[in-house]
Amino acid sequence: MTTVTDLYPSRGPAEVSIPRQDPVVWGSPDTPGPIPEVDLQSFERDGFLAIDELIGPDEVAVYQRELARLTTDPEIRADERSIIEPKSQEIRSVFEVHRISEVFANLVRDERVVGRARQILGSDVYVHQSRINVKPGFGASGFYWHSDFETWHAEDGLPNMRTVSVSIALTENYDTNGGLMIMPGSHRTFLGCAGATPKDNYKKSLQMQDAGTPSDEALTKMASEYGIKLFTGKAGSATWFDCNCMHGSGDNITPFPRSNVFIVFNSVENAAVEPFAAPVRRPEFIGARDFTPVR
C-alpha cells in the first residue's frame, strides 16, 4: 500500500496552524471554463466567488418543487441519508441528493456548475458530497465555524486541498435568516484542531459540530485578521468557496426559510485514501468512494 504524506496534521493533543501547501486555483490561464480571469484572481485571493444569478427563476422553481417533494417523502425521511433537526424533528439535510434525484443529478452535470469546478481544480472532477440543506424559520440551528477540508482530510482521507464547493440558494438569503459567513483569505491557513475523533463522529457532527471545531482563541485571531463576509442574494444566486475557507452560519429565528443545494467537487487526481485522523471511514453518502468523473 502506498503511503500518502500527511501535509495537514489535525486532531492531535494541541491546535496547530499550518500555511497552505497547495495551490488555490489549479487550472492554468488557458484552462477552458465559464469563469473570467478577473474572477479567478478574486477566488485565488479571497477563497470564494459569489454569482448573483447562476440559475434563473424558472429553474429555481423546478428545484424548489423537487426539494419539497424530497423533504415530504416518508421514504426519504426514513433513509439514513436524511438528517433530522433535533428540536423540530424536521428534515435538516438530505445527502447524496444527486443520486436520489435525477433533477439534482442534471444540475451537477450542468456546464455552468461542473465547468466552473473543472476550471478551478484543473482536472476532471467527481462529486465528493452533495446535499440539500433545509433551514426552515423559527429556530433551525446553524453550522458552527469550521473548515470543510479539516473534516474531509481527517475523516474522509482527502490528501490535498483540491476540492471546491458550491452553495446554490433555493430561497432568498437575507442578512437575518442564517446565511453563509466566510472569513476572506482564511483558506491560506490550515487550522489543525485539537482532540481525537470519536468513532461514528458523523452521527453527531451532522447535527452539531464538535470534533474538528476551532478554539475561540483561534477564531478570534482569524476573524480579526480576515474579517467576516455574510452572503445574501436572491434564489438562484450561488457562492463557490475553497475547501479550506473558515465558514459557518447562524440560527434562523426569522419566519423566512433558507434552503440551498450544496455540491462538493473533488479532483479525480485527489481521490480519497484512508482517513488521516479518524478510526474509520465515514459512510460513502457523506464522503464518496466512487471517483467516476462527472460527464
Side-chain angles (χ1 to χ4, degrees):
M1 181 180 294
T2 304
T3 301
V4 179
T5 302
D6 185 357
L7 297 176
Y8 302 103
S10 189
R11 311 287 174 96
E15 197 170 56
V16 295
S17 180
I18 301 168
R20 185 187 184 107
Q21 305 295 303
D22 294 305
V24 177
V25 175
W26 291 72
S28 64
D30 57 353
T31 300
I35 307 176
E37 177 63 26
V38 65
D39 287 344
L40 278 176
Q41 293 171 358
S42 175
F43 184 88
E44 172 95 31
R45 180 188 69 242
D46 297 329
F48 59 80
L49 177 63
I51 299 173
D52 288 337
E53 189 177 355
L54 183 68
I55 58 175
D58 291 345
E59 296 170 287
V60 168
V62 172
Y63 297 120
Q64 287 174 334
R65 287 194 294 270
E66 183 69 352
L67 181 143
R69 183 187 73 81
L70 292 171
T71 55
T72 56
D73 184 332
E75 290 189 15
I76 298 294
R77 181 185 175 88
D79 193 295
E80 67 172 346
R81 291 173 286 192
S82 293
I83 309 303
I84 308 301
E85 185 76 33
K87 293 178 182 177
S88 68
Q89 291 298 296
E90 293 186 61
I91 287 182
R92 174 189 178 105
S93 301
V94 179
F95 279 80
E96 217 170 39
V97 70
H98 71 295
R99 294 191 182 278
I100 294 174
S101 163
E102 187 60 28
V103 172
F104 285 111
N106 288 335
L107 179 62
V108 166
R109 293 190 290 262
D110 191 309
E111 191 60 25
R112 292 170 296 178
V113 177
V114 69
R116 283 178 166 85
R118 293 191 191 108
Q119 192 176 0
I120 290 169
L121 301 181
S123 69
D124 278 332
V125 297
Y126 70 93
V127 176
H128 176 70
Q129 185 186 106
S130 73
R131 66 179 187 260
I132 47 174
N133 290 325
V134 185
K135 210 172 194 181
F138 301 115
S141 55
F143 291 87
Y144 197 68
W145 291 104
H146 64 287
S147 154
D148 286 330
F149 179 75
E150 193 279 338
T151 297
W152 298 338
H153 181 73
E155 300 186 36
D156 296 337
L158 296 192
N160 295 96
M161 294 180 183
R162 199 170 179 179
T163 314
V164 67
S165 302
V166 60
S167 175
I168 304 172
L170 300 182
T171 55
E172 184 153 0
N173 287 269
Y174 301 101
D175 58 3
T176 52
N177 64 341
L180 173 68
M181 297 181 287
I182 293 178
M183 297 184 187
S186 58
H187 61 304
R188 295 192 171 280
T189 301
F190 175 74
L191 191 65
C193 298
T197 309
K199 186 177 180 181
D200 290 341
N201 177 56
Y202 76 94
K203 292 180 180 178
K204 181 179 179 183
S205 67
L206 296 179
Q207 294 179 329
M208 184 64 67
Q209 190 86 2
D210 189 9
T213 300
S215 68
D216 291 353
E217 292 77 14
L219 289 171
T220 300
K221 181 179 179 182
M222 294 183 83
S224 298
E225 181 176 354
Y226 301 119
I228 296 172
K229 164 74 173 175
L230 170 66
F231 293 88
T232 59
K234 294 188 180 298
S237 61
T239 305
W240 289 85
F241 59 103
D242 179 82
C243 58
N244 191 47
C245 283
M246 189 62 66
H247 67 287
S249 65
D251 295 351
N252 182 15
I253 61 171
T254 75
F256 311 115
R258 177 186 168 262
S259 300
N260 69 297
V261 56
F262 181 71
I263 306 162
V264 180
F265 293 101
N266 188 39
S267 169
V268 295
E269 298 172 15
N270 189 44
V273 294
E274 291 306 310
F276 287 89
V280 294
R281 298 177 179 181
R282 297 197 298 176
E284 291 194 30
F285 69 83
I286 300 174
R289 295 282 161 172
D290 179 352
F291 311 131
T292 305
V294 174
R295 296 286 188 234

Short mmCIF file of all heavy atoms in Angstrom, two decimals, residues 47-106:
data_model
loop_
_atom_site.label_atom_id
_atom_site.label_comp_id
_atom_site.label_asym_id
_atom_site.label_seq_id
_atom_site.Cartn_x
_atom_site.Cartn_y
_atom_site.Cartn_z
N GLY A 47 -10.79 33.25 -1.68
CA GLY A 47 -11.23 31.89 -1.38
C GLY A 47 -12.68 31.64 -1.73
O GLY A 47 -13.19 30.54 -1.47
N PHE A 48 -13.34 32.62 -2.32
CA PHE A 48 -14.75 32.42 -2.69
C PHE A 48 -15.09 33.28 -3.91
O PHE A 48 -14.36 34.21 -4.27
CB PHE A 48 -15.69 32.76 -1.54
CG PHE A 48 -15.58 34.17 -1.04
CD1 PHE A 48 -16.20 35.22 -1.71
CD2 PHE A 48 -14.86 34.46 0.11
CE1 PHE A 48 -16.08 36.53 -1.25
CE2 PHE A 48 -14.75 35.76 0.59
CZ PHE A 48 -15.36 36.80 -0.10
N LEU A 49 -16.21 32.95 -4.53
CA LEU A 49 -16.72 33.69 -5.68
C LEU A 49 -18.23 33.66 -5.62
O LEU A 49 -18.84 32.59 -5.64
CB LEU A 49 -16.21 33.05 -6.98
CG LEU A 49 -16.72 33.67 -8.29
CD1 LEU A 49 -16.23 35.11 -8.42
CD2 LEU A 49 -16.24 32.83 -9.48
N ALA A 50 -18.85 34.82 -5.53
CA ALA A 50 -20.32 34.92 -5.48
C ALA A 50 -20.85 35.26 -6.87
O ALA A 50 -20.30 36.12 -7.56
CB ALA A 50 -20.74 35.98 -4.47
N ILE A 51 -21.93 34.58 -7.26
CA ILE A 51 -22.56 34.79 -8.56
C ILE A 51 -24.03 35.12 -8.31
O ILE A 51 -24.75 34.33 -7.69
CB ILE A 51 -22.43 33.55 -9.45
CG1 ILE A 51 -20.94 33.24 -9.69
CG2 ILE A 51 -23.16 33.74 -10.78
CD1 ILE A 51 -20.69 31.94 -10.41
N ASP A 52 -24.47 36.28 -8.81
CA ASP A 52 -25.81 36.76 -8.49
C ASP A 52 -26.92 35.85 -9.01
O ASP A 52 -27.92 35.64 -8.35
CB ASP A 52 -26.01 38.18 -9.04
CG ASP A 52 -25.23 39.22 -8.26
OD1 ASP A 52 -24.91 38.95 -7.09
OD2 ASP A 52 -24.94 40.29 -8.82
N GLU A 53 -26.76 35.34 -10.23
CA GLU A 53 -27.81 34.52 -10.83
C GLU A 53 -27.18 33.38 -11.62
O GLU A 53 -27.05 33.45 -12.84
CB GLU A 53 -28.73 35.36 -11.73
CG GLU A 53 -29.96 34.61 -12.20
CD GLU A 53 -30.90 35.47 -13.05
OE1 GLU A 53 -30.63 36.67 -13.20
OE2 GLU A 53 -31.90 34.93 -13.56
N LEU A 54 -26.80 32.33 -10.91
CA LEU A 54 -26.25 31.16 -11.59
C LEU A 54 -27.35 30.43 -12.34
O LEU A 54 -27.15 29.95 -13.45
CB LEU A 54 -25.59 30.22 -10.59
CG LEU A 54 -24.91 28.99 -11.20
CD1 LEU A 54 -23.68 29.40 -12.01
CD2 LEU A 54 -24.51 27.98 -10.13
N ILE A 55 -28.53 30.32 -11.72
CA ILE A 55 -29.69 29.73 -12.39
C ILE A 55 -30.85 30.72 -12.33
O ILE A 55 -30.94 31.52 -11.40
CB ILE A 55 -30.09 28.38 -11.76
CG1 ILE A 55 -30.40 28.53 -10.27
CG2 ILE A 55 -28.99 27.35 -11.97
CD1 ILE A 55 -30.91 27.26 -9.61
N GLY A 56 -31.71 30.67 -13.33
CA GLY A 56 -32.80 31.62 -13.44
C GLY A 56 -34.04 31.24 -12.65
O GLY A 56 -34.14 30.13 -12.11
N PRO A 57 -35.01 32.15 -12.56
CA PRO A 57 -36.21 31.92 -11.76
C PRO A 57 -37.00 30.67 -12.15
O PRO A 57 -37.52 29.96 -11.28
CB PRO A 57 -37.03 33.19 -11.99
CG PRO A 57 -36.03 34.23 -12.37
CD PRO A 57 -34.96 33.52 -13.13
N ASP A 58 -37.12 30.40 -13.46
CA ASP A 58 -37.85 29.21 -13.89
C ASP A 58 -37.16 27.94 -13.40
O ASP A 58 -37.82 26.98 -12.99
CB ASP A 58 -37.98 29.18 -15.42
CG ASP A 58 -38.90 30.26 -15.95
OD1 ASP A 58 -39.64 30.85 -15.14
OD2 ASP A 58 -38.85 30.52 -17.17
N GLU A 59 -35.84 27.93 -13.46
CA GLU A 59 -35.08 26.77 -12.97
C GLU A 59 -35.19 26.65 -11.45
O GLU A 59 -35.34 25.54 -10.92
CB GLU A 59 -33.61 26.91 -13.37
CG GLU A 59 -33.37 26.90 -14.86
CD GLU A 59 -31.93 27.28 -15.19
OE1 GLU A 59 -31.58 28.47 -15.06
OE2 GLU A 59 -31.17 26.38 -15.58
N VAL A 60 -35.13 27.78 -10.77
CA VAL A 60 -35.26 27.76 -9.31
C VAL A 60 -36.56 27.08 -8.92
O VAL A 60 -36.60 26.25 -7.99
CB VAL A 60 -35.21 29.19 -8.74
CG1 VAL A 60 -35.65 29.20 -7.27
CG2 VAL A 60 -33.79 29.75 -8.84
N ALA A 61 -37.65 27.39 -9.63
CA ALA A 61 -38.95 26.80 -9.30
C ALA A 61 -38.93 25.28 -9.43
O ALA A 61 -39.53 24.57 -8.61
CB ALA A 61 -40.02 27.40 -10.22
N VAL A 62 -38.21 24.78 -10.43
CA VAL A 62 -38.08 23.32 -10.61
C VAL A 62 -37.38 22.70 -9.41
O VAL A 62 -37.83 21.67 -8.86
CB VAL A 62 -37.31 23.01 -11.90
CG1 VAL A 62 -37.00 21.51 -12.00
CG2 VAL A 62 -38.10 23.46 -13.13
N TYR A 63 -36.30 23.31 -8.97
CA TYR A 63 -35.53 22.76 -7.85
C TYR A 63 -36.28 22.93 -6.53
O TYR A 63 -36.19 22.07 -5.64
CB TYR A 63 -34.15 23.42 -7.79
CG TYR A 63 -33.32 23.12 -9.01
CD1 TYR A 63 -32.86 24.14 -9.84
CD2 TYR A 63 -33.04 21.80 -9.38
CE1 TYR A 63 -32.13 23.86 -10.98
CE2 TYR A 63 -32.31 21.52 -10.52
CZ TYR A 63 -31.86 22.56 -11.33
OH TYR A 63 -31.14 22.28 -12.47
N GLN A 64 -37.04 23.99 -6.40
CA GLN A 64 -37.85 24.17 -5.19
C GLN A 64 -38.92 23.07 -5.08
O GLN A 64 -39.15 22.53 -4.00
CB GLN A 64 -38.53 25.54 -5.19
CG GLN A 64 -37.59 26.70 -4.92
CD GLN A 64 -38.28 28.05 -5.07
OE1 GLN A 64 -39.25 28.18 -5.81
NE2 GLN A 64 -37.76 29.06 -4.38
N ARG A 65 -39.55 22.75 -6.20
CA ARG A 65 -40.55 21.67 -6.20
C ARG A 65 -39.91 20.34 -5.85
O ARG A 65 -40.48 19.54 -5.08
CB ARG A 65 -41.24 21.58 -7.56
CG ARG A 65 -42.22 22.72 -7.83
CD ARG A 65 -43.12 22.40 -9.01
NE ARG A 65 -42.38 22.32 -10.26
CZ ARG A 65 -42.15 23.35 -11.08
NH1 ARG A 65 -42.61 24.56 -10.75
NH2 ARG A 65 -41.49 23.20 -12.20
N GLU A 66 -38.72 20.10 -6.38
CA GLU A 66 -38.04 18.83 -6.08
C GLU A 66 -37.61 18.77 -4.62
O GLU A 66 -37.71 17.72 -3.98
CB GLU A 66 -36.83 18.66 -7.02
CG GLU A 66 -36.08 17.35 -6.86
CD GLU A 66 -36.86 16.12 -7.32
OE1 GLU A 66 -38.06 16.24 -7.64
OE2 GLU A 66 -36.26 15.03 -7.35
N LEU A 67 -37.13 19.88 -4.09
CA LEU A 67 -36.78 19.94 -2.67
C LEU A 67 -38.00 19.63 -1.80
O LEU A 67 -37.92 18.84 -0.86
CB LEU A 67 -36.20 21.31 -2.32
CG LEU A 67 -35.76 21.53 -0.87
CD1 LEU A 67 -34.51 22.40 -0.81
CD2 LEU A 67 -36.86 22.20 -0.05
N ALA A 68 -39.14 20.23 -2.14
CA ALA A 68 -40.37 19.99 -1.38
C ALA A 68 -40.79 18.52 -1.47
O ALA A 68 -41.22 17.92 -0.47
CB ALA A 68 -41.48 20.90 -1.88
N ARG A 69 -40.65 17.95 -2.66
CA ARG A 69 -41.01 16.53 -2.82
C ARG A 69 -40.14 15.62 -1.96
O ARG A 69 -40.63 14.73 -1.26
CB ARG A 69 -40.87 16.12 -4.29
CG ARG A 69 -41.29 14.67 -4.57
CD ARG A 69 -40.98 14.25 -5.99
NE ARG A 69 -39.56 14.05 -6.23
CZ ARG A 69 -38.89 12.92 -5.89
NH1 ARG A 69 -39.53 11.93 -5.26
NH2 ARG A 69 -37.60 12.81 -6.16
N LEU A 70 -38.84 15.88 -1.98
CA LEU A 70 -37.91 15.04 -1.23
C LEU A 70 -38.13 15.15 0.27
O LEU A 70 -38.08 14.15 1.00
CB LEU A 70 -36.47 15.41 -1.58
CG LEU A 70 -36.01 15.08 -3.01
CD1 LEU A 70 -34.65 15.71 -3.29
CD2 LEU A 70 -35.97 13.59 -3.26
N THR A 71 -38.36 16.36 0.75
CA THR A 71 -38.44 16.57 2.20
C THR A 71 -39.80 16.20 2.78
O THR A 71 -39.97 16.22 4.01
CB THR A 71 -38.11 18.03 2.56
OG1 THR A 71 -38.97 18.91 1.82
CG2 THR A 71 -36.66 18.34 2.24
N THR A 72 -40.76 15.87 1.93
CA THR A 72 -42.06 15.41 2.42
C THR A 72 -42.31 13.94 2.13
O THR A 72 -43.36 13.41 2.48
CB THR A 72 -43.21 16.25 1.81
OG1 THR A 72 -43.12 16.20 0.38
CG2 THR A 72 -43.12 17.70 2.27
N ASP A 73 -41.33 13.28 1.53
CA ASP A 73 -41.47 11.86 1.20
C ASP A 73 -41.11 11.02 2.43
O ASP A 73 -39.97 11.09 2.91
CB ASP A 73 -40.52 11.53 0.03
CG ASP A 73 -40.66 10.10 -0.46
OD1 ASP A 73 -41.03 9.21 0.35
OD2 ASP A 73 -40.38 9.85 -1.64
N PRO A 74 -42.03 10.22 2.95
CA PRO A 74 -41.74 9.41 4.15
C PRO A 74 -40.56 8.45 3.96
O PRO A 74 -39.81 8.20 4.90
CB PRO A 74 -43.04 8.63 4.39
CG PRO A 74 -44.10 9.43 3.70
CD PRO A 74 -43.43 10.06 2.52
N GLU A 75 -40.39 7.93 2.75
CA GLU A 75 -39.26 7.02 2.49
C GLU A 75 -37.93 7.76 2.58
O GLU A 75 -36.94 7.22 3.09
CB GLU A 75 -39.42 6.35 1.13
CG GLU A 75 -40.56 5.34 1.07
CD GLU A 75 -40.55 4.55 -0.22
OE1 GLU A 75 -39.53 4.58 -0.94
OE2 GLU A 75 -41.57 3.90 -0.51
N ILE A 76 -37.90 8.98 2.06
CA ILE A 76 -36.68 9.79 2.15
C ILE A 76 -36.39 10.12 3.62
O ILE A 76 -35.24 10.03 4.07
CB ILE A 76 -36.80 11.08 1.33
CG1 ILE A 76 -36.99 10.76 -0.16
CG2 ILE A 76 -35.59 11.98 1.54
CD1 ILE A 76 -35.81 10.09 -0.82
N ARG A 77 -37.41 10.48 4.37
CA ARG A 77 -37.22 10.81 5.79
C ARG A 77 -36.63 9.62 6.55
O ARG A 77 -35.79 9.79 7.44
CB ARG A 77 -38.55 11.23 6.42
CG ARG A 77 -38.41 11.62 7.89
CD ARG A 77 -39.74 11.93 8.54
NE ARG A 77 -39.56 12.18 9.95
CZ ARG A 77 -39.27 13.35 10.49
NH1 ARG A 77 -39.15 14.41 9.71
NH2 ARG A 77 -39.11 13.51 11.79
N ALA A 78 -37.05 8.42 6.21
CA ALA A 78 -36.58 7.22 6.91
C ALA A 78 -35.21 6.76 6.44
O ALA A 78 -34.57 5.92 7.10
CB ALA A 78 -37.60 6.08 6.71
N ASP A 79 -34.72 7.31 5.34
CA ASP A 79 -33.43 6.93 4.78
C ASP A 79 -32.31 7.48 5.66
O ASP A 79 -32.41 8.60 6.19
CB ASP A 79 -33.31 7.49 3.36
CG ASP A 79 -32.16 6.89 2.57
OD1 ASP A 79 -30.99 7.12 2.96
OD2 ASP A 79 -32.42 6.21 1.57
N GLU A 80 -31.22 6.73 5.81
CA GLU A 80 -30.10 7.19 6.64
C GLU A 80 -29.44 8.44 6.08
O GLU A 80 -28.71 9.14 6.79
CB GLU A 80 -29.07 6.07 6.80
CG GLU A 80 -28.34 5.70 5.51
CD GLU A 80 -27.19 4.73 5.73
OE1 GLU A 80 -26.79 4.56 6.88
OE2 GLU A 80 -26.70 4.16 4.73
N ARG A 81 -29.69 8.74 4.83
CA ARG A 81 -29.11 9.93 4.23
C ARG A 81 -29.82 11.21 4.64
O ARG A 81 -29.35 12.31 4.33
CB ARG A 81 -29.10 9.79 2.69
CG ARG A 81 -28.13 8.74 2.20
CD ARG A 81 -28.24 8.48 0.72
NE ARG A 81 -29.44 7.71 0.40
CZ ARG A 81 -29.68 7.14 -0.79
NH1 ARG A 81 -28.78 7.26 -1.76
NH2 ARG A 81 -30.78 6.45 -1.01
N SER A 82 -30.93 11.09 5.33
CA SER A 82 -31.66 12.26 5.82
C SER A 82 -31.26 12.55 7.27
O SER A 82 -31.25 11.65 8.11
CB SER A 82 -33.17 12.04 5.75
OG SER A 82 -33.59 11.97 4.41
N ILE A 83 -30.93 13.81 7.54
CA ILE A 83 -30.55 14.25 8.88
C ILE A 83 -31.70 15.07 9.45
O ILE A 83 -32.20 15.99 8.79
CB ILE A 83 -29.26 15.10 8.83
CG1 ILE A 83 -28.16 14.37 8.05
CG2 ILE A 83 -28.80 15.45 10.24
CD1 ILE A 83 -27.80 13.00 8.58
N ILE A 84 -32.12 14.74 10.66
CA ILE A 84 -33.30 15.34 11.27
C ILE A 84 -32.88 16.41 12.28
O ILE A 84 -31.99 16.20 13.09
CB ILE A 84 -34.17 14.27 11.96
CG1 ILE A 84 -34.48 13.12 10.99
CG2 ILE A 84 -35.45 14.89 12.50
CD1 ILE A 84 -35.19 13.53 9.73
N GLU A 85 -33.53 17.57 12.21
CA GLU A 85 -33.29 18.66 13.16
C GLU A 85 -33.71 18.20 14.56
O GLU A 85 -34.84 17.75 14.77
CB GLU A 85 -34.12 19.88 12.75
CG GLU A 85 -33.89 21.12 13.57
CD GLU A 85 -32.59 21.83 13.24
OE1 GLU A 85 -32.17 21.80 12.08
OE2 GLU A 85 -32.00 22.39 14.17
N PRO A 86 -32.81 18.27 15.55
CA PRO A 86 -33.11 17.73 16.89
C PRO A 86 -34.33 18.37 17.56
O PRO A 86 -35.13 17.67 18.17
CB PRO A 86 -31.83 18.02 17.69
CG PRO A 86 -30.76 18.21 16.68
CD PRO A 86 -31.43 18.79 15.47
N LYS A 87 -34.47 19.70 17.43
CA LYS A 87 -35.56 20.37 18.14
C LYS A 87 -36.91 20.18 17.45
O LYS A 87 -37.89 19.77 18.06
CB LYS A 87 -35.25 21.87 18.28
CG LYS A 87 -34.07 22.16 19.19
CD LYS A 87 -33.80 23.67 19.25
CE LYS A 87 -32.60 23.97 20.12
NZ LYS A 87 -32.28 25.43 20.13
N SER A 88 -36.96 20.51 16.17
CA SER A 88 -38.25 20.49 15.46
C SER A 88 -38.61 19.13 14.90
O SER A 88 -39.76 18.90 14.53
CB SER A 88 -38.20 21.50 14.31
OG SER A 88 -37.28 21.07 13.31
N GLN A 89 -37.61 18.24 14.80
CA GLN A 89 -37.79 16.93 14.17
C GLN A 89 -38.12 17.04 12.69
O GLN A 89 -38.68 16.11 12.08
CB GLN A 89 -38.86 16.10 14.91
CG GLN A 89 -38.43 15.64 16.31
CD GLN A 89 -37.21 14.73 16.26
OE1 GLN A 89 -37.26 13.62 15.69
NE2 GLN A 89 -36.11 15.17 16.84
N GLU A 90 -37.78 18.17 12.08
CA GLU A 90 -37.92 18.32 10.64
C GLU A 90 -36.62 17.91 9.96
O GLU A 90 -35.55 17.88 10.58
CB GLU A 90 -38.24 19.78 10.29
CG GLU A 90 -39.59 20.26 10.78
CD GLU A 90 -39.90 21.66 10.27
OE1 GLU A 90 -39.97 21.83 9.03
OE2 GLU A 90 -40.05 22.57 11.09
N ILE A 91 -36.71 17.60 8.67
CA ILE A 91 -35.51 17.26 7.91
C ILE A 91 -34.61 18.48 7.82
O ILE A 91 -35.05 19.58 7.46
CB ILE A 91 -35.87 16.75 6.50
CG1 ILE A 91 -36.46 15.33 6.58
CG2 ILE A 91 -34.65 16.77 5.59
CD1 ILE A 91 -36.80 14.73 5.23
N ARG A 92 -33.35 18.29 8.17
CA ARG A 92 -32.34 19.36 8.11
C ARG A 92 -31.55 19.27 6.80
O ARG A 92 -31.31 20.27 6.14
CB ARG A 92 -31.40 19.23 9.30
CG ARG A 92 -30.20 20.18 9.32
CD ARG A 92 -29.24 19.80 10.42
NE ARG A 92 -28.06 20.64 10.44
CZ ARG A 92 -27.84 21.61 11.33
NH1 ARG A 92 -28.73 21.86 12.26
NH2 ARG A 92 -26.74 22.33 11.29
N SER A 93 -31.12 18.04 6.44
CA SER A 93 -30.34 17.83 5.22
C SER A 93 -30.69 16.47 4.63
O SER A 93 -31.06 15.54 5.36
CB SER A 93 -28.83 17.85 5.52
OG SER A 93 -28.42 19.07 6.09
N VAL A 94 -30.56 16.38 3.31
CA VAL A 94 -30.64 15.10 2.62
C VAL A 94 -29.37 14.96 1.81
O VAL A 94 -29.10 15.77 0.91
CB VAL A 94 -31.87 15.00 1.71
CG1 VAL A 94 -31.89 13.64 1.00
CG2 VAL A 94 -33.17 15.19 2.49
N PHE A 95 -28.57 13.95 2.13
CA PHE A 95 -27.28 13.73 1.47
C PHE A 95 -27.42 12.89 0.20
O PHE A 95 -28.43 12.23 -0.01
CB PHE A 95 -26.31 13.05 2.44
CG PHE A 95 -25.66 13.99 3.41
CD1 PHE A 95 -26.33 14.41 4.54
CD2 PHE A 95 -24.38 14.48 3.19
CE1 PHE A 95 -25.75 15.28 5.45
CE2 PHE A 95 -23.78 15.36 4.08
CZ PHE A 95 -24.47 15.76 5.21
N GLU A 96 -26.37 12.94 -0.60
CA GLU A 96 -26.26 12.18 -1.85
C GLU A 96 -27.47 12.47 -2.75
O GLU A 96 -28.00 11.60 -3.43
CB GLU A 96 -26.14 10.68 -1.56
CG GLU A 96 -25.21 9.97 -2.51
CD GLU A 96 -24.89 8.55 -2.11
OE1 GLU A 96 -25.77 7.84 -1.62
OE2 GLU A 96 -23.72 8.14 -2.30
N VAL A 97 -27.87 13.73 -2.76
CA VAL A 97 -29.10 14.10 -3.45
C VAL A 97 -28.97 13.92 -4.96
O VAL A 97 -29.97 13.70 -5.66
CB VAL A 97 -29.51 15.54 -3.06
CG1 VAL A 97 -28.56 16.56 -3.66
CG2 VAL A 97 -30.94 15.82 -3.45
N HIS A 98 -27.74 13.97 -5.47
CA HIS A 98 -27.57 13.77 -6.91
C HIS A 98 -27.76 12.32 -7.31
O HIS A 98 -27.90 12.02 -8.51
CB HIS A 98 -26.18 14.27 -7.37
CG HIS A 98 -25.04 13.42 -6.92
ND1 HIS A 98 -24.70 13.26 -5.59
CD2 HIS A 98 -24.15 12.67 -7.62
CE1 HIS A 98 -23.65 12.47 -5.50
NE2 HIS A 98 -23.30 12.09 -6.72
N ARG A 99 -27.78 11.41 -6.35
CA ARG A 99 -28.07 10.01 -6.64
C ARG A 99 -29.54 9.68 -6.38
O ARG A 99 -30.11 8.77 -6.98
CB ARG A 99 -27.18 9.09 -5.81
CG ARG A 99 -25.70 9.19 -6.17
CD ARG A 99 -24.89 8.07 -5.52
NE ARG A 99 -23.48 8.18 -5.82
CZ ARG A 99 -22.90 7.75 -6.93
NH1 ARG A 99 -23.64 7.19 -7.88
NH2 ARG A 99 -21.60 7.87 -7.12
N ILE A 100 -30.14 10.42 -5.46
CA ILE A 100 -31.55 10.19 -5.13
C ILE A 100 -32.46 10.81 -6.19
O ILE A 100 -33.52 10.28 -6.49
CB ILE A 100 -31.87 10.80 -3.74
CG1 ILE A 100 -31.12 10.03 -2.65
CG2 ILE A 100 -33.36 10.81 -3.46
CD1 ILE A 100 -31.27 10.66 -1.27
N SER A 101 -32.04 11.95 -6.74
CA SER A 101 -32.89 12.76 -7.60
C SER A 101 -32.24 13.02 -8.95
O SER A 101 -31.14 13.58 -9.02
CB SER A 101 -33.18 14.10 -6.91
OG SER A 101 -33.68 15.06 -7.82
N GLU A 102 -32.92 12.67 -10.02
CA GLU A 102 -32.42 12.96 -11.36
C GLU A 102 -32.41 14.45 -11.63
O GLU A 102 -31.58 14.96 -12.38
CB GLU A 102 -33.25 12.23 -12.41
CG GLU A 102 -32.70 12.33 -13.83
CD GLU A 102 -31.30 11.74 -13.99
OE1 GLU A 102 -30.95 10.81 -13.23
OE2 GLU A 102 -30.57 12.20 -14.89
N VAL A 103 -33.34 15.19 -11.01
CA VAL A 103 -33.39 16.64 -11.17
C VAL A 103 -32.08 17.26 -10.68
O VAL A 103 -31.47 18.09 -11.37
CB VAL A 103 -34.59 17.24 -10.40
CG1 VAL A 103 -34.53 18.76 -10.39
CG2 VAL A 103 -35.90 16.77 -11.01
N PHE A 104 -31.62 16.86 -9.50
CA PHE A 104 -30.37 17.41 -8.97
C PHE A 104 -29.15 16.79 -9.66
O PHE A 104 -28.10 17.44 -9.75
CB PHE A 104 -30.31 17.25 -7.46
CG PHE A 104 -31.20 18.22 -6.73
CD1 PHE A 104 -32.34 17.80 -6.06
CD2 PHE A 104 -30.91 19.58 -6.74
CE1 PHE A 104 -33.17 18.71 -5.40
CE2 PHE A 104 -31.73 20.50 -6.09
CZ PHE A 104 -32.86 20.06 -5.43
N ALA A 105 -29.28 15.58 -10.17
CA ALA A 105 -28.18 14.99 -10.95
C ALA A 105 -27.93 15.82 -12.20
O ALA A 105 -26.77 16.03 -12.60
CB ALA A 105 -28.52 13.55 -11.32
N ASN A 106 -29.00 16.30 -12.83
CA ASN A 106 -28.84 17.15 -14.02
C ASN A 106 -28.16 18.46 -13.67
O ASN A 106 -27.36 18.99 -14.45
CB ASN A 106 -30.20 17.41 -14.65
CG ASN A 106 -30.78 16.19 -15.33
OD1 ASN A 106 -30.05 15.29 -15.75
ND2 ASN A 106 -32.11 16.13 -15.45
#
